[in-house]
Amino acid sequence: MPKPQAEERVAHYSFASFATMMEKQGRKRNRSTAAAAVGGSTKSTNHVDEKLTKRQRKAMAAKAPYFTPKPSTSIRRIDTPLDQLMPQQRIDLIADLSESILEDPTTALTSSRTEISSSGGGGSKKNEKDHDDSASSDKKDPMYHKTQSKAHKLLDLASLSTNGHDAHAARLALLSLLAIFQDILPSYRIRLPTEAEMSVRVTKETKATWDYERKLLQAYQRYLQLLEKTWEDGKFGRKWSGGVKSQGGPPTTLAATAILALSALLQTCYNFNFRSNLLQVVVRQANHRSSEEVRSSCCKALSAMFTKDIQGEASLEAVRLMAKMVKQQQSTTSNNKPIHPDVLNTWLSLPLRVHEDEAMAAKLASAAKAKKAKKSLMEKETLEIEQEMKEGEATVDKMELAKNQADSLHAVTLTYFRILKFVAAAVGQAEVADGKKQGNNNATASELLPCALRGLAKFSHLIHMDAVVDLLAVLKDLLGNVSSLPPDAAIHCILCALKTLRGPGRETLPVDPKEYLIPLYNLLPRLSAARIESGTVNDAAAVAGNSAGMDRTIEAAIQCLDHAFLQRRELSTSRLAAFIKRVTSAALHCPAQSATPLLACARQVTSRYSSSTSSKVARMLENEEDIVAEGMFAPDAEDPEHSNAHATSLWELALLKYSIHPRVADHSMAMAEGRLLKLPAEAPSKIWSSMGRDAQEAFISQPVVWKKHPLDNRVNDAVEGGIRKKVTEIAADSKRKRKQRRSQNQIRFITPRRTGSWHLLPSTSYSML
């Protein structure tokens, strides 16, 4: 065809012309190269050199490829004012700067300078000596333009005052700087060299290290100042021209990002410089009442730092700041907001293991060592060198750890005792106080007292014996009027006393456990109405399982029963029978997630004490008509030994057997039949945790329904009576029955059903029907 031939000729002609053109250029290039090699005219050589770029000439001199990837277009805008960039250009610049800083932090922290080319520049170099001498006399000093470092440019992008008030770009820059500093900051404190050390001649590597550390500290300090300023500007909301929008409003998104960044830095960089600045901000905002996210993030950061701090220095500094804040809040007027319980709950993460006596010995040893170093100058210098070496080592100094933990324990217990005495004074004045003050005291008792008692119960084995005696005296005064305390505070008060009595060396204390068992007996009926009394029925935090809810009260009650009757031997059967009767009565009025662990605890106590022949616990499972006892049951008696509980029966189990929840019914039937618990699967604490989680997530467990085979009629026998056979047994029975049916010669006839003849009728008549 003519058309394809024309296309082929055109293509062939274009390719031939292109080849001819390239051949001519190659000949010219070869001639110029040969002339330069032979020593031809300088004019042709200069002509070829002018066509080559500067990078090509350097590559030809080094005999290396001159191609390198071009820098990002965003990095080229580093000298452009930030307010002149578009929002997307700022975001691209943040990404490129972050990537380049992580690749080479040393050069990213250093500012560079570029030479400003003069207007008349561009002449060729002269090789003659006289020309160089004449040019040097007329040549002026070069001028340079200083370029900002990449780290400081990223800090400018994180500030609203320098990035054109772009809040989204500032937030991204803050998060990028957080990831950068978490990656490049060391895990030790940097000490800058003194003036005397700077005057000494050192190597280039040492000087470069000093410069890098100084610039790193400057950038990190500026970042912390920017975070604190951003939080202070937006912690109460956005500012308008007339002032702050609202003093109690939630923080802005940028301010919340700043405080979250500070909390994240505290978790990972608590051993680096400027730790005091971080702790002051985070500890102060751990009691933030306007935003739950801010408060929870700060408290989680403090708890994580307490867990990770192996030396105890950062933990001691944080504990002292928190104790000072609690003291200031209690000393001021009642108009200020009280301390939130989450602040005190963070102290439960402290890994305190050193006893107070051991800490005192460590303090005396360190003081003697320091006193010895003062006498000799040589030993003083040696001690200073050892301290500097210990800072760079990863090992733990046991003497320093013992001292820090002792100081932390002293500050924590002193704060706990201050709260106990404050609540005791408030309860003592509750009868003569007005309604407003009484409400404030009750609120303080319900919030802070359980936290303080929980902490004292954890650290009571580390406290000195004299402090333990004082603690038990204060707890006895609080329990003297247990009805005035909230249920949560009262149950934790009893738990703290029982745990303290179970500590090492407490057998010599002249304390009768009866003083704490009687308040526990009177407190058990209030478990079902704990949330109503504490005012947290509609509180989401209480439903989620916080310390203000009823679930934590049930957990504390289970622990009290465990310390009172399982970890010690109870000799009074009347008291034991009264407690079992009271626990089953309380389970009758509690929800399923609280009644089930209470019944499991009652089963555990019953199974331990029902083996003795003289025990009256087993008689309570019989019918009331068959029980032979003197007197009548007194359910309103304050003392459990005067209630005469062995004269009645556990009739509550007969009602709990018909509970809507299957686990409550199973435990009530098992207790009535005297079956033992299957530990550890049916432990009360494990039942409480599993059922509490199901209640929080609104999870309803469904029973497994066995699918019935159409040819197998024996599946009903497996389900009958609540006892299911194993799947293997049912499968074996079905296989055996099928084998029997195959061996028999059965003839089955299938009778078809009688159907109407509607399909044979015409469509018109069918539609009329």
Side-chain angles (χ1 to χ4, degrees):
M1 292 183 182
K3 189 174 182 180
Q5 291 178 1
E7 291 180 355
E8 289 178 2
R9 285 196 302 270
V10 171
H12 179 71
Y13 173 75
S14 61
F15 179 77
S17 61
F18 179 76
T20 306
M21 183 177 62
M22 293 298 294
E23 185 178 358
K24 290 180 180 179
Q25 291 182 359
R27 291 172 183 173
K28 292 180 181 181
R29 192 181 297 110
N30 292 335
R31 286 197 299 268
S32 62
T33 306
V38 174
S41 62
T42 313
K43 183 178 180 180
S44 61
T45 307
N46 293 338
H47 182 69
V48 175
D49 291 338
E50 287 179 0
K51 289 185 177 180
L52 296 176
T53 62
K54 185 178 179 181
R55 183 177 297 178
Q56 289 174 346
R57 285 196 293 269
K58 287 183 178 181
M60 290 176 63
K63 297 182 179 180
Y66 63 87
F67 174 79
T68 54
K70 295 182 179 180
S72 177
T73 55
S74 303
I75 298 292
R76 295 177 181 176
R77 304 190 190 100
I78 193 170
D79 295 333
T80 308
L82 297 179
D83 54 355
Q84 297 181 7
L85 297 177
M86 299 297 291
Q88 187 61 37
Q89 292 177 349
R90 297 192 191 100
I91 295 174
D92 296 340
L93 182 59
I94 290 171
D96 295 334
L97 287 174
S98 303
E99 185 178 357
S100 60
I101 291 173
L102 289 175
E103 288 177 356
D104 191 3
T106 306
T107 58
L109 295 171
T110 306
S111 59
S112 59
R113 60 177 187 173
T114 57
E115 183 179 355
I116 302 176
S117 60
S118 59
S119 59
S124 60
K125 295 182 179 180
K126 301 182 181 292
N127 298 326
E128 290 81 359
K129 186 176 181 180
D130 53 354
H131 284 273
D132 293 340
D133 295 338
S134 61
S136 60
S137 60
D138 299 335
K139 187 176 181 181
K140 297 181 180 180
D141 294 337
M143 299 181 65
Y144 296 95
H145 172 69
K146 188 177 180 181
T147 304
Q148 196 177 17
S149 64
K150 298 177 182 178
H152 288 277
K153 192 69 176 181
L154 192 56
L155 286 167
D156 290 342
L157 282 166
S159 178
L160 289 177
S161 59
T162 55
N163 71 345
H165 295 278
D166 190 351
H168 182 61
R171 186 184 181 191
L172 293 178
L174 289 177
L175 295 176
S176 302
L177 285 167
L178 171 63
I180 289 170
F181 282 116
Q182 284 182 336
D183 187 59
I184 66 177
L185 288 182
S187 60
Y188 55 87
R189 185 184 296 271
I190 292 178
R191 185 184 68 84
L192 294 177
T194 59
E195 295 181 359
E197 293 175 350
M198 292 290 291
S199 61
V200 179
R201 188 175 181 179
V202 294
T203 60
K204 292 182 179 180
E205 291 79 6
T206 305
K207 189 175 181 181
T209 304
W210 286 352
D211 293 341
Y212 170 72
E213 290 178 348
R214 177 177 54 82
K215 294 172 183 176
L216 179 62
L217 284 178
Q218 291 176 356
Y220 184 60
Q221 185 180 15
R222 184 183 172 188
Y223 179 57
L224 292 181
Q225 293 174 355
L226 178 62
L227 289 176
E228 188 173 359
K229 183 179 182 301
T230 304
W231 167 249
E232 292 295 334
D233 292 342
K235 64 180 180 180
F236 292 125
R238 186 175 299 174
K239 286 186 177 181
W240 303 96
S241 58
V244 183
K245 184 178 179 181
S246 61
Q247 290 294 332
T252 59
T253 306
L254 186 60
T257 305
I259 196 65
L260 291 179
L262 288 169
S263 302
L265 284 174
L266 183 62
Q267 297 184 37
T268 56
C269 308
Y270 56 88
N271 284 328
F272 195 63
N273 300 60
F274 309 109
R275 179 180 62 198
S276 301
N277 301 2
L278 270 176
L279 285 174
Q280 288 178 1
V281 178
V282 174
V283 169
R284 188 166 59 249
Q285 302 308 322
N287 195 35
H288 193 78
R289 293 274 181 168
S290 300
S291 177
E292 185 179 357
E293 290 79 7
V294 173
R295 183 182 66 251
S296 61
S297 65
C298 294
C299 292
K300 288 179 181 178
L302 291 171
S303 300
M305 187 198 66
F306 290 152
T307 306
K308 297 177 183 178
D309 188 16
I310 58 177
Q311 194 65 33
E313 296 180 358
S315 301
L316 176 60
E317 188 175 356
V319 165
R320 285 177 175 173
L321 287 174
M322 296 168 71
K324 184 178 179 180
M325 183 177 64
V326 173
K327 184 178 179 181
Q328 290 177 354
Q329 289 289 340
Q330 288 184 355
S331 61
T332 53
T333 58
S334 59
N335 295 330
N336 294 338
K337 295 180 180 179
I339 299 296
H340 197 272
D342 293 343
V343 179
L344 296 180
N345 287 334
T346 56
W347 285 349
L348 298 177
S349 303
L350 285 169
L352 300 180
R353 295 178 295 271
V354 180
H355 197 269
E356 192 171 355
D357 298 335
E358 299 176 358
M360 185 61 66
K363 286 183 180 180
L364 293 176
S366 61
K369 190 175 181 180
K371 186 177 180 181
K372 184 179 179 181
K374 289 181 180 179
K375 297 179 180 179
S376 176
L377 181 61
M378 184 66 68
E379 293 181 357
K380 184 177 181 180
E381 294 177 355
T382 306
L383 184 61
E384 292 178 356
I385 294 174
E386 289 179 357
Q387 291 179 356
E388 292 180 0
M389 294 295 292
K390 286 178 182 178
E391 291 180 359
E393 294 178 357
T395 58
V396 179
D397 187 5
K398 294 183 179 180
M399 302 287 288
E400 191 69 22
L401 176 62
K403 182 181 177 182
N404 293 333
Q405 287 199 357
D407 295 341
S408 300
L409 179 64
H410 178 72
V412 167
T413 52
L414 186 62
T415 305
Y416 286 157
F417 274 104
R418 186 178 290 112
I419 293 174
L420 287 181
K421 292 181 180 180
F422 174 76
V423 174
V427 171
Q429 299 175 359
E431 298 180 357
V432 297
D434 54 353
K436 183 178 179 180
K437 187 174 181 181
Q438 185 177 357
N440 293 337
N441 292 334
N442 290 336
T444 305
S446 61
E447 289 185 354
L448 297 183
L449 185 58
C451 304
L453 294 172
R454 197 180 298 116
L456 286 172
K458 181 178 180 180
F459 304 126
S460 60
H461 64 284
L462 302 175
I463 306 175
H464 195 266
M465 191 63 66
D466 297 336
V468 169
V469 176
D470 297 339
L471 172 62
L472 293 176
V474 174
L475 293 178
K476 185 178 178 180
D477 294 340
L478 286 174
L479 293 175
N481 191 8
V482 68
S483 60
S484 61
L485 292 175
D488 192 21
I491 199 69
H492 280 92
C493 188
I494 298 171
L495 178 61
C496 179
L498 293 177
K499 281 188 175 182
T500 305
L501 292 175
R502 294 296 300 171
R506 270 61 172 180
E507 293 83 1
T508 58
L509 291 175
V511 178
D512 187 9
K514 182 181 178 181
E515 299 176 357
Y516 306 102
L517 294 180
I518 293 178
L520 177 61
Y521 180 77
N522 296 325
L523 191 63
L524 288 176
R526 299 172 60 186
L527 295 179
S528 58
R531 287 177 57 189
I532 300 176
E533 293 186 24
S534 59
T536 57
V537 179
N538 298 324
D539 193 1
V543 177
N546 290 343
S547 60
M550 183 186 61
D551 292 337
R552 291 294 179 183
T553 308
I554 295 295
E555 180 191 19
I558 293 171
Q559 293 180 7
C560 289
L561 294 174
D562 180 74
H563 283 278
F565 300 106
L566 297 178
Q567 296 187 15
R568 57 180 291 271
R569 184 72 181 179
E570 179 61 45
L571 302 178
S572 176
T573 56
S574 300
R575 184 186 300 170
L576 186 65
F579 267 95
I580 293 176
K581 178 66 176 178
R582 184 61 63 89
V583 168
T584 53
S585 300
L588 187 63
H589 302 282
C590 289
Q593 64 269 17
S594 303
T596 308
L598 287 177
L599 287 176
C601 187
R603 286 180 59 189
Q604 201 171 8
V605 175
T606 305
S607 61
R608 181 184 180 186
Y609 292 94
S610 61
S611 58
S612 59
T613 56
S614 60
S615 176
K616 302 177 182 179
V617 178
R619 304 179 189 174
M620 301 177 66
L621 298 175
E622 300 176 359
N623 193 359
E624 288 187 355
E625 297 179 357
D626 300 335
I627 295 177
V628 179
E630 298 180 359
M632 297 179 63
F633 172 59
D636 55 346
E638 294 184 359
D639 194 343
E641 293 185 356
H642 300 163
S643 62
N644 198 17
H646 57 82
T648 183
S649 63
L650 299 177
W651 52 266
E652 293 87 357
L653 300 178
L655 297 180
L656 292 172
K657 183 178 67 173
Y658 299 102
S659 175
I660 192 173
H661 202 282
R663 300 191 69 174
V664 177
D666 293 343
H667 277 277
S668 60
M669 287 291 297
M671 186 175 179
E673 296 175 0
R675 296 200 302 265
L676 300 178
L677 284 174
K678 297 178 182 179
L679 298 176
E682 292 183 352
S685 58
K686 194 168 185 178
I687 293 175
W688 172 82
S689 60
S690 62
M691 295 191 67
R693 180 182 177 184
D694 294 344
Q696 293 173 16
E697 300 175 355
F699 173 74
I700 302 175
S701 59
Q702 297 293 335
V704 179
V705 179
W706 294 85
K707 187 176 181 180
K708 181 180 178 181
H709 196 274
L711 300 179
D712 192 0
N713 295 326
R714 296 192 60 185
V715 179
N716 294 331
D717 300 336
V719 185
E720 186 177 0
I723 303 174
R724 296 187 179 93
K725 291 184 178 181
K726 296 181 180 180
V727 180
T728 54
E729 296 179 0
I730 297 177
D733 294 344
S734 302
K735 185 177 181 180
R736 181 175 51 82
K737 291 175 62 177
R738 286 196 299 269
K739 188 175 181 181
Q740 290 178 358
R741 286 196 300 268
R742 290 173 183 173
S743 61
Q744 298 175 0
N745 295 328
Q746 297 181 0
I747 301 175
R748 297 184 179 183
F749 298 94
I750 300 176
T751 304
R753 293 183 302 170
R754 293 184 177 181
T755 58
S757 58
W758 308 109
H759 60 285
L760 300 177
L761 296 175
S763 59
T764 54
S765 59
Y766 184 77
S767 59
M768 292 176 62
L769 291 174

